């Protein structure tokens, strides 16, 4: 099952359950000045959940393009080095605005995973919030999950309701318990079930989070029941694709493999396992869609985040020996993979490539010189030592090296800044 088929099956399934298929919103949030980028499926529905916006539907489903780079939601430094970190990802979601609640949400998720996607039931574990007896009973009695595979998770983040299984929009306002679904990769992979000391291992991977918004939290911290409870779910497309395609790394799924091969062709790199190719494949998605949504490389705000991501990709191309503009040529491969699902990309692909090429040409002039100076400064340092701040600032000020780019180079040599 390809990524495109997985995405379409999700939307088709929920359409059959009476959900309106809603197009992905822009990566630039229209209704939330506190948010740098759209980072989940519920962002475009925030005002609906708060009762400020009334839609013609009470059930919705979407595949939402999302970015986590910059601000408090920042995965940039981990991209390319781990199996599941991305700057750009797609979030599959279904939403109920005062219509169905826990029982239907759980039933829909289980049916899709086990009947449509065909995942073995015995490979699935679930978590519920410690006090959510209702969700626990639904999983146990209605769905038939053995009680030993239903894990109650308490307040594990240092305060009341501060839990992996309790979601809050902010310090006050809509909130509620959530139930997460995990896939068990089997005993040959290290790791323990959710809630255990070995939960950080790769054996049990969270694939879907079902959030049950049933309370309104007051400034005094009191939870008052919402008159119309809502449902907000999120499942990372890349994660579920890796599970369904039988691979451990998101970068092994078909979409990424095609982008990695395109990056290898453009850089001349023969080793398809090279982490730099993963960085480039990830970054072409984030950069292209940010430009689609009107962000232009610049020196502040969203524009500077875009510039940082572009320049990080170019540095990895340089590391692979490519000193000529190459990044913009990957837009064609991206359009082949995602243009059908996102026609807004296909409509402006040429302009996206032009914006990227201009930025490549601008930075290409200083990248070579800056890398030479940085290499010289790092030469005498031993692992564990740090590059001095003066050099890091000079690289930023004179050569346009974002600090995270310099830190990236240092980290590869066991150094810090």
């Amino acid at each position: 099952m390809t990524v495109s088929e997985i995405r379409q099956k999700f939307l088709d399934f929920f359409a059959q359950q009476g959900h309106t298929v809603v197009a992905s919103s822009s990566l630039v949030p229209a209704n939330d000045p506190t948010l740098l980028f759209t980072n989940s499926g519920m962002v475009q529905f925030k005002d609906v959940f708060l009762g400020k916006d009334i839609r013609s539907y009470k059930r919705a489903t979407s595949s939402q393009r999302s970015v986590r780079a910059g601000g408090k939601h920042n995965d940039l430094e981990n991209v390319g080095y781990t199996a599941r970190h991305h700057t750009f990802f797609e979030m599959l979601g279904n939403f109920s605005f005062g219509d169905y609640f826990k029982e239907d949400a759980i039933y829909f998720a289980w049916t899709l995973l086990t009947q449509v996607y065909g995942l073995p039931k015995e490979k699935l574990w679930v978590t519920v919030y410690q006090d959510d007896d209702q969700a626990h009973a639904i999983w146990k009695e209605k769905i038939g999950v053995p009680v030993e595979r239903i894990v109650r998770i308490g307040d594990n983040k240092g305060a009341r309701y501060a839990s992996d299984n309790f979601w809050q929009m902010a310090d006050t306002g809509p909130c509620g318990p959530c139930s997460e679904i995990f896939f068990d990769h089997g005993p040959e992979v290290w790791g323990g079930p959710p809630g255990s000391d070995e939960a950080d291992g790769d054996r049990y991977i969270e694939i879907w989070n079902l959030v049950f918004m049933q309370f309104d939290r007051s400034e005094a911290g009191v939870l008052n029941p919402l008159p119309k409870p809502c449902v907000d779910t999120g499942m990372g497309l890349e994660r579920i694709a890796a599970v369904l395609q039988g691979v451990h790394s998101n970068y092994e799924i078909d979409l990424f493999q095609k982008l990695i091969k395109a990056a290898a062709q453009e850089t001349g790199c023969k080793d398809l396992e090279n982490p730099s190719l993963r960085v480039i494949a990830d970054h072409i998605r984030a950069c292209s869609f940010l430009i689609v949504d009107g962000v232009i490389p610049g020196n502040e705000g969203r524009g500077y985040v875009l510039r940082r991501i572009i320049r990080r990709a170019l540095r990895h191309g340089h590391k692979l020996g490519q000193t000529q503009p190459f990044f913009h040529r990957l837009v064609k491969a991206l359009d082949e993979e995602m243009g059908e699902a996102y026609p807004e990309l296909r409509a402006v692909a040429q302009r996206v490539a032009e914006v990227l090429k201009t930025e490549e040409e601008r930075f290409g002039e200083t990248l070579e010189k800056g890398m030479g100076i940085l290499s010289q400064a790092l030469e005498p340092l031993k692992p564990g030592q740090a590059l001095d701040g003066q050099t890091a600032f000079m690289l930023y000020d004179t050569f346009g090296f974002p600090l995270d780019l310099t830190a990236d180079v240092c980290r590869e040599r066991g150094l810090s800044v």
Side-chain angles (χ1 to χ4, degrees):
M1 212 182 302
T2 66
V3 167
S4 294
E5 289 167 342
I6 294 165
R7 183 196 298 113
Q8 196 57 50
K9 280 179 184 287
F10 184 95
L11 298 174
D12 289 347
F13 172 80
F14 280 103
Q16 289 162 9
Q17 315 305 322
H19 293 63
T20 297
V21 179
V22 180
S24 170
S25 64
S26 168
L27 287 169
V28 179
N31 58 350
D32 191 346
T34 67
L35 203 56
L36 197 60
F37 299 116
T38 298
N39 59 13
S40 70
M42 68 81 62
V43 171
Q44 69 165 315
F45 301 116
K46 183 176 176 181
D47 284 346
V48 185
F49 286 124
L50 292 171
K52 297 177 182 176
D53 181 12
I54 306 297
R55 302 281 175 101
S56 60
Y57 46 82
K58 289 191 172 182
R59 299 181 176 198
T61 186
S62 68
S63 180
Q64 173 65 49
R65 56 183 181 269
S66 306
V67 161
R68 285 187 182 162
K72 68 176 183 176
H73 301 288
N74 185 15
D75 286 344
L76 184 60
E77 66 181 31
N78 292 314
V79 171
Y81 299 100
T82 70
R84 282 175 288 278
H85 279 101
H86 305 288
T87 52
F88 175 99
F89 59 97
E90 294 178 74
M91 189 63 83
L92 302 169
N94 59 290
F95 309 89
S96 165
F97 311 115
D99 186 12
Y100 64 84
F101 200 42
K102 293 179 188 179
E103 188 166 334
D104 283 342
I106 288 171
Y107 172 77
F108 291 153
W110 189 257
T111 303
L112 178 68
L113 291 176
T114 61
Q115 295 182 26
V116 178
Y117 289 153
L119 288 177
K121 295 178 181 179
E122 65 274 11
K123 288 275 194 180
L124 298 175
W125 286 58
V126 298
T127 62
V128 297
Y129 184 58
Q130 61 180 3
D131 300 338
D132 195 353
D133 296 335
Q134 186 184 13
H136 190 282
I138 294 167
W139 281 117
K140 179 187 170 189
E141 294 159 22
K142 298 289 174 80
I143 303 299
V145 176
V147 70
E148 61 270 18
R149 295 210 310 270
I150 307 172
V151 182
R152 290 184 188 262
I153 302 289
D155 298 329
N156 54 4
K157 293 184 175 179
R160 183 68 172 130
Y161 304 120
S163 168
D164 288 328
N165 279 69
F166 196 92
W167 183 89
Q168 304 176 75
M169 191 178 288
D171 291 338
T172 59
C175 60
C178 52
S179 186
E180 297 180 324
I181 305 173
F182 289 74
F183 181 80
D184 176 7
H185 278 295
E188 62 276 12
V189 180
W190 183 84
S196 70
D197 291 340
E198 294 82 36
D200 287 340
D202 277 351
R203 175 172 171 177
Y204 299 85
I205 297 299
E206 181 213 330
I207 52 176
W208 205 343
N209 189 13
L210 316 178
V211 177
F212 308 125
M213 285 190 228
Q214 63 186 101
F215 301 113
D216 182 9
R217 187 172 188 173
S218 71
E219 290 186 8
V222 177
L223 301 188
N224 299 302
L226 284 170
K228 290 187 177 178
C230 299
V231 171
D232 156 30
T233 87
M235 175 161 63
L237 175 58
E238 297 80 5
R239 279 197 181 202
I240 189 62
V243 167
L244 291 172
Q245 293 179 12
V247 295
H248 283 297
S249 168
N250 291 1
Y251 292 98
E252 295 175 63
I253 64 177
D254 66 296
L255 184 152
F256 268 116
Q257 283 299 297
K258 287 172 183 169
L259 292 177
I260 285 169
K261 282 170 185 166
Q265 188 176 343
E266 294 297 345
T267 58
C269 178
K270 300 285 190 284
D271 176 15
L272 294 179
E273 298 298 315
N274 193 304
S276 290
L277 292 178
R278 295 200 293 269
V279 171
I280 293 165
D282 170 272
H283 288 9
I284 191 62
R285 299 209 303 163
C287 296
S288 296
F289 278 100
L290 283 170
I291 295 167
V292 166
D293 288 335
V295 181
I296 297 297
N299 289 325
E300 55 186 30
R302 296 183 178 101
Y304 188 58
V305 175
L306 172 58
R307 174 163 284 169
R308 283 166 51 202
I309 300 172
I310 295 172
R311 294 188 173 185
R312 191 170 187 265
L314 300 184
R315 202 280 296 184
H316 279 276
H318 182 274
K319 188 181 175 190
L320 296 174
Q322 178 55 280
T323 57
Q324 299 302 312
F326 73 95
F327 194 49
H328 67 282
R329 292 202 292 269
L330 297 177
V331 175
K332 183 174 181 291
L334 180 67
D335 178 43
E336 288 170 2
E337 289 304 305
M338 299 184 69
E340 193 173 331
Y342 295 97
E344 56 268 50
L345 168 65
R346 184 153 289 171
V348 297
Q350 184 60 40
R351 187 179 72 83
V352 171
E354 288 166 5
V355 171
L356 289 174
K357 188 179 182 187
T358 300
E359 185 71 6
E360 282 193 85
E361 290 169 346
R362 173 181 290 165
F363 188 50
E365 299 166 10
T366 58
L367 177 59
E368 191 81 36
K369 291 177 188 171
M371 283 304 299
I373 289 169
L374 179 55
S375 296
Q376 208 173 350
L378 297 179
E379 192 69 41
L381 299 180
K382 293 180 173 60
Q385 292 185 302
L387 175 72
D388 63 283
Q390 192 175 352
T391 302
F393 180 76
M394 184 262 288
L395 286 166
Y396 162 77
D397 194 43
T398 308
F399 297 97
F401 276 41
L403 181 59
D404 52 72
L405 190 156
T406 302
D408 208 31
V409 177
C410 290
R411 182 166 69 160
E412 291 169 0
R413 304 189 187 196
L415 305 167
S416 58
V417 181

